[in-house]
Amino acid sequence: TKGTHALVSARAKDAVDRVATVLEVQGVLKSPQENKVEQSKIDVKATVLYDERTLDVSKGATGSLRSMRHYDRAEAKITLPKKEYAPTLRPERRLIGVEVGDDEVTLFSPRGQLNRDELDLVDLLAGSLILDRLLPERPVAINEPWTYSNETMKAVFGLDRIASQTVKANLTTIDAKSAMIEMAGRIEGTVNGVKTRLDIKGKCRFDRKTRRIDWFGLLVKEDRDIGPAAPGFDVVARLQVQILPRNESKSLSNAALAGLPLRSNEALVRLIHEPREGGWRFEHDRRWFPTGGDDRFSYLRLIDQGDFVAQCNVVTLKQVEPGKQATLEQFQR
């Protein structure tokens, strides 16, 4: 109608994009310590750069989406008061499949199982495949607000349940080149059964020539309770995503993907736990979360729909001479 604008994505099957994402997080962790909560500063910076080929497209805010990504860069630096570590993606796991349902996102590698750090590194909020669901489903006028379904907010922000949300968006500016969308609101829900509260502000730029989102910026203030498998936190996260169309990607060509499973299966969604010098490894489903340890000790907790179900402690025994057994006292120690 007169005065309204249809902002419909032109994403098509086999379209290839170049995606660069930077996530910065600052704030405090909240950990239980002898009947009190101890707070410690945390600083995170994650940078990922990948090509993405769309495999399946659905219109609107429902239906399935699929893509395959090849990461040229995937790294993070996490700084705590007495610890600093930098998870990366192994070279043999740089091919990542993405599947989006109505309200959840699943990432996996067709070349083998990921570990928990690798999954967390590639499973950032507001993934590039799902950003189209932030566009209005009807033609809108400037400053005409619209809302999002709980299913869309769950998928965009990686939540498993939403108790309430007030996120609204509107078209703020439009010209011959682009349209700018702004959104803001509050979301209350759970992640792995743990209560969390998010105050969000976002901006989204829609390129009117390519009819695709080419930039997305997000500011999130999150206050998450302490959970049975992870500390709570009170942080501010800043996310920027840039998307540019490409003609092709050799790493995602038909020849490069030939013979690989392009859909997830039960085996590929399992994770691998393998200490660097532990001399052992095992598979586990995604309900198990490492909660501590070192090269000799590993502690994992099973969280099922928010409930702490079980704990698994693994200890590497000291080596004994060939042909001999550890004594009972050595085993107990």
Side-chain angles (χ1 to χ4, degrees):
T1 59
K2 186 177 180 181
T4 62
H5 308 275
L7 306 178
V8 180
S9 173
R11 182 191 289 269
K13 180 176 168 50
D14 292 325
V16 178
D17 299 307
R18 185 67 163 172
V19 182
T21 300
V22 176
L23 173 66
E24 296 177 302
V25 181
Q26 292 181 318
V28 295
L29 289 181
K30 301 180 290 187
S31 306
Q33 297 290 337
E34 298 181 355
N35 299 320
K36 66 178 182 178
V37 175
E38 182 179 276
Q39 295 191 347
S40 55
K41 289 184 178 181
I42 182 172
D43 189 293
V44 179
K45 183 171 183 179
T47 304
V48 297
L49 181 66
Y50 56 85
D51 289 340
E52 182 167 46
R53 176 181 170 182
T54 300
L55 301 181
D56 280 342
V57 180
S58 66
K59 301 298 183 182
T62 59
S64 63
L65 301 165
R66 289 195 308 127
S67 72
M68 197 61 61
R69 299 173 180 171
H70 184 272
Y71 285 75
D72 293 316
R73 185 180 180 188
E75 57 194 30
K77 182 180 179 182
I78 302 172
T79 305
L80 299 167
K82 298 181 180 180
K83 184 179 180 181
E84 182 177 297
Y85 60 105
T88 60
L89 194 60
R90 287 171 289 167
E92 63 269 26
R93 296 292 182 268
R94 291 186 178 273
L95 189 66
I96 298 291
V98 186
E99 297 175 340
V100 178
D102 287 343
D103 62 356
E104 63 181 0
V105 181
T106 301
L107 289 93
F108 68 98
S109 175
R111 294 202 169 110
Q113 291 150 330
L114 302 168
N115 59 44
R116 176 63 67 180
D117 283 346
E118 290 173 323
L119 178 61
D120 289 344
L121 183 58
V122 298
D123 195 10
L124 301 178
L125 74 165
S128 52
L129 184 62
I130 204 170
L131 288 183
D132 289 343
R133 292 189 177 174
L134 298 178
L135 296 173
E137 295 190 70
R138 66 179 192 280
V140 293
I142 290 181
N143 293 325
E144 178 186 352
W146 67 90
T147 60
Y148 297 112
S149 68
N150 286 353
E151 288 73 22
T152 293
M153 293 293 94
K154 283 172 63 178
V156 170
F157 292 97
L159 303 172
D160 48 39
R161 187 179 69 86
I162 288 183
S164 65
Q165 60 103 354
T166 61
V167 180
K168 290 185 178 181
N170 65 83
L171 174 64
T172 57
T173 60
I174 189 167
D175 56 30
K177 293 183 178 180
S178 64
M180 186 66 74
I181 294 168
E182 295 188 8
M183 62 200 68
R186 183 177 177 86
I187 304 173
E188 297 187 7
T190 61
V191 178
N192 299 318
V194 178
K195 290 183 179 180
T196 188
R197 295 150 293 277
L198 301 89
D199 292 297
I200 72 163
K201 291 183 179 180
K203 290 185 178 183
C204 182
R205 187 173 65 207
F206 181 80
D207 187 308
R208 299 192 70 189
K209 181 179 180 181
T210 62
R211 290 168 49 217
R212 292 288 308 280
I213 293 171
D214 65 2
W215 178 84
F216 178 68
L218 184 66
L219 179 69
V220 180
K221 185 181 186 304
E222 182 171 6
D223 179 14
R224 187 180 300 185
D225 291 351
I226 297 171
F233 51 74
D234 190 351
V235 298
V236 174
R238 296 173 178 84
L239 177 81
Q240 285 201 64
V241 183
Q242 291 184 316
I243 304 172
L244 295 174
R246 295 194 67 177
N247 292 327
E248 63 178 5
S249 171
K250 291 183 178 180
S251 300
L252 298 174
S253 65
N254 289 339
L257 301 180
L260 293 173
L262 303 185
R263 294 182 182 272
S264 65
N265 57 49
E266 185 178 349
L268 289 177
V269 298
R270 294 172 72 83
L271 301 178
I272 285 288
H273 186 74
E274 182 176 20
R276 287 191 300 272
E277 300 179 12
W280 57 271
R281 63 186 289 177
F282 61 74
E283 300 177 11
H284 60 89
D285 70 43
R286 296 188 178 189
R287 297 174 301 164
W288 284 96
F289 293 84
T291 59
D294 53 28
D295 289 336
R296 266 197 77 211
F297 299 85
S298 287
Y299 311 108
L300 299 96
R301 287 187 171 184
L302 175 63
I303 310 299
D304 188 15
Q305 297 182 358
D307 293 328
F308 173 26
V309 178
Q311 179 160 322
C312 175
N313 301 339
V314 184
V315 183
T316 303
L317 298 180
K318 290 186 177 180
Q319 295 290 331
V320 297
E321 294 181 24
K324 293 187 177 182
Q325 289 184 326
T327 66
L328 180 59
E329 290 76 16
Q330 289 172 330
F331 179 80
Q332 287 174 331
R333 284 199 298 271

